[in-house]
Amino acid sequence: LPAIVVTHAYLASDDSRYDHVARGDQLWNPYRYIRGGAPGQVNDGEEVWRKLVSRNDNIRFVLCGHDLGDGIGRLTSVRADGSTVHQLLANYQMEDLGGGGYLRLMQFFPGRRRVRVRTYSPFLDRIKTEPDNDFSLDY
């Protein structure tokens, strides 16, 4: 069955997965603030990709938050079998009013295998219309 993985620290706001081996400069990688755990207790985005997402072609999306940059990121990756997975970061907490209540809405159109992603605040009754916050993806 098609699946969506929802996790915490997976994608950074520079559109790359957290990777403590190749990208030691990523400030918000979980390895930087979770120390001394048992082996396997911590997995950053690249490890989740390698161990789970890249091996399961039914995973269509990975959704995450956490990053304290601009809070927006998007990466589409192709697995070895040729299938794609969209990875989306949305974290607005650093904006005014603790993020202004913004959240992502995903409207699926199964017949077209397309999803419309919009960013809306019920608190402010506003929609963010910039391309990074209002877009469509084929899946």
Side-chain angles (χ1 to χ4, degrees):
L1 295 174
I4 297 173
V5 172
V6 180
T7 188
H8 187 68
Y10 180 86
L11 197 65
S13 58
D14 67 358
D15 303 328
S16 67
R17 286 184 290 269
Y18 282 114
D19 185 345
H20 75 284
V21 174
R23 294 285 313 273
D25 63 322
Q26 293 173 317
L27 293 176
W28 309 112
N29 190 304
Y31 279 91
R32 294 188 75 151
Y33 59 88
I34 300 175
R35 302 195 190 280
Q41 184 177 0
V42 178
N43 287 286
D44 63 18
E46 190 61 31
E47 290 167 318
V48 172
W49 166 259
R50 245 187 318 95
K51 295 176 182 180
L52 177 67
V53 180
S54 70
R55 296 178 182 195
N56 292 282
D57 65 359
N58 65 315
I59 298 174
R60 305 289 196 263
F61 296 92
V62 178
L63 309 177
C64 68
H66 177 68
D67 188 272
L68 298 179
D70 70 5
I72 303 166
R74 182 173 16 159
L75 176 65
T76 298
S77 299
V78 179
R79 298 181 187 92
D81 68 0
S83 63
T84 60
V85 59
H86 299 292
Q87 300 134 100
L88 306 175
L89 161 68
N91 181 16
Y92 301 98
Q93 70 178 321
M94 299 308 288
E95 293 184 16
D96 291 342
L97 302 171
Y102 280 100
L103 53 95
R104 285 277 171 90
L105 301 174
M106 299 176 75
Q107 182 179 10
F108 288 85
F109 300 93
R112 291 188 267 160
R113 296 185 53 88
R114 193 158 181 79
V115 62
R116 170 115 190 255
V117 180
R118 300 181 84 193
T119 304
Y120 173 69
S121 168
F123 177 70
L124 301 171
D125 193 25
R126 284 191 209 141
I127 296 173
K128 289 183 174 278
T129 58
E130 308 84 19
D132 285 342
N133 285 300
D134 188 349
F135 54 91
S136 294
L137 298 167
D138 295 322
Y139 65 92

